Amino acid sequence: METSAPAAVVVLAAGAGTRMKSRTPKVLHPIGGRSLLGHAITAAEGTGPAELVVVVRHERERLIQHLADHAPEVTIADQDEIPGTGRAVQCGLEKVSASSGTVLVTYGDVPLLEAGTLRELVAAHEQAGAAVTVLSARVADPTGYGRILRSDDGTEVVGIVEHKDATESQRGIDEINSGIYAFDLQVLRDALGRIGTDNAQGEMYLTDVLGIARSDGRTVRAMVTEDAMMVEGANDRVQLAQLGAEMNRRILERHMRAGVTIVDPSTTWIDADVSIGTDAVILPGVQLHGATDIGEDAVIGPDCTLRDTEVGARAEVVRTHSVLAVIGPEATVGPFTYLRPGTALGARGKIGGFVETKNAQIGEDAKVPHLSYVGDAEIGEGTNIGAATIFANYDGQRKHRTTVGKHVRVGSDSVLVAPVAIGDGAATGAGTVVRKDVPPGALAVNAVAQRNVEGWTLRRRAGTAAEDAARAALDAQSEPGAESTAGPDADDNKEHLQR
């Protein structure tokens, strides 16, 4: 169905949302990686409107800051003290410069609403030449919803009656008003100027526009969406969780139909802005948040949480928490690994078990396999960082950077005290504390010769199981024919103890 872009979309986000029982404005509560308002704006933007207006009032400054951060192109309109959706739309129209065309009215708390449905609404509205077209839905239990009253032939809407005002027969109607409309802009402006607040609630009702349009001899229609969940709003945290679960189900289905394997959808959560390549495999217990991008044939999981992370093709990530990191193609990460912002792992690289990285660039084919902390560092290609290596980047006041060259071998349990550089092809011995630069090809060592203090446990741990074990072993060694386990310096150590 072809459609033109609307002249404007007005998103209503002025309500307090008291049923949410929260200090956070209702429309700023997040699901699927965006705020409720963010989802509403994404749907509105998808119609290609000439103007997009968001009407605010409650917690105005917080909403304006949120919009400045996430949708700076929208126009802000303030609702005044006059209550009601009709007044909210009227305030929004004050910011619309167009004099004719179609204007859509939507809400900031309807996160499943899609741009495609709004475009269909505009097309149906314009093809019918209607003054107003209501987006409606049929539901099994319409309790609490406004009912759509149709003409005898079913083509026109003759009214909308709220549940509390409906007759018994009207309450049997299963077609409900979503509150989302397409209006002829000129009709809407004129009708809002004729609506008052002379009602029990003292509000300007937007639904009154329909009656005015009909009394003026204009056409009012309804377009039924087959997807009733799409027009559901989140009024409390229970509904927020229900809509979040439904959104996640739809996101997972979209990815699976596009060629992604999701082994256990019941334990997998993926945000709306995540992208996943064909033939990627998502194992149980995975959460992909923000702008995370997973490459083709990558394997993620089990038990990973990735936020704003880029994972290259054919990479494998297991039991990892990652934020603002880049994992190169064919690289491996995990298990029990923490990638903090600024981590970039090159192709075929490895960050292994119980490793934490931060602001670290790790080159192609480089490896940090075990039990290490790598902060504020650059590691060249082909380098291997031994187990339990610490990049000591903080001097108590400032962070400093460590540079490790290509094809370096850092021995286990080394400490690299920044700022320091290790040249290409160099190495460190196990247990080395590197405090000054290591030239290319050099071996850095600073360990002292081992000295065994004989009899220490017998003197310092008397009465313990350790003493019993040591004494039994010594007694066994003293038996005729027993082989001594003492090292070559045993006699020297005994002499030292005697002095």
Side-chain angles (χ1 to χ4, degrees), residues 242-274:
Q242 291 169 342
L243 290 175
E246 176 61 19
M247 176 176 289
N248 188 64
R249 186 194 67 77
R250 296 179 183 211
I251 291 170
L252 298 184
E253 181 175 310
R254 171 167 56 83
H255 284 297
M256 288 188 284
R257 294 193 184 282
V260 176
T261 295
I262 297 177
V263 174
D264 185 11
S266 67
T267 62
T268 303
W269 288 82
I270 299 178
D271 282 353
D273 293 325
V274 171

Side-chain angles (χ1 to χ4, degrees), residues 403-454:
T403 301
V404 180
K406 302 175 183 178
H407 301 286
V408 172
R409 294 294 177 266
V410 174
S412 296
D413 203 29
S414 292
V415 179
L416 312 183
V417 183
V420 72
I422 300 177
D424 293 349
T428 74
T432 298
V433 179
V434 180
R435 298 181 180 276
K436 61 183 181 179
D437 291 353
V438 180
L443 170 66
V445 292
N446 56 20
V448 297
Q450 178 176 317
R451 181 168 63 88
N452 297 332
V453 180
E454 299 283 345

Side-chain angles (χ1 to χ4, degrees), residues 79-105:
Q79 183 174 358
D80 55 23
E81 69 282 355
I82 300 173
T85 52
R87 180 55 179 167
V89 172
Q90 192 172 42
C91 293
L93 290 184
E94 291 175 1
K95 299 291 186 176
V96 174
S97 60
S99 58
S100 63
T102 299
V103 58
L104 289 171
V105 174

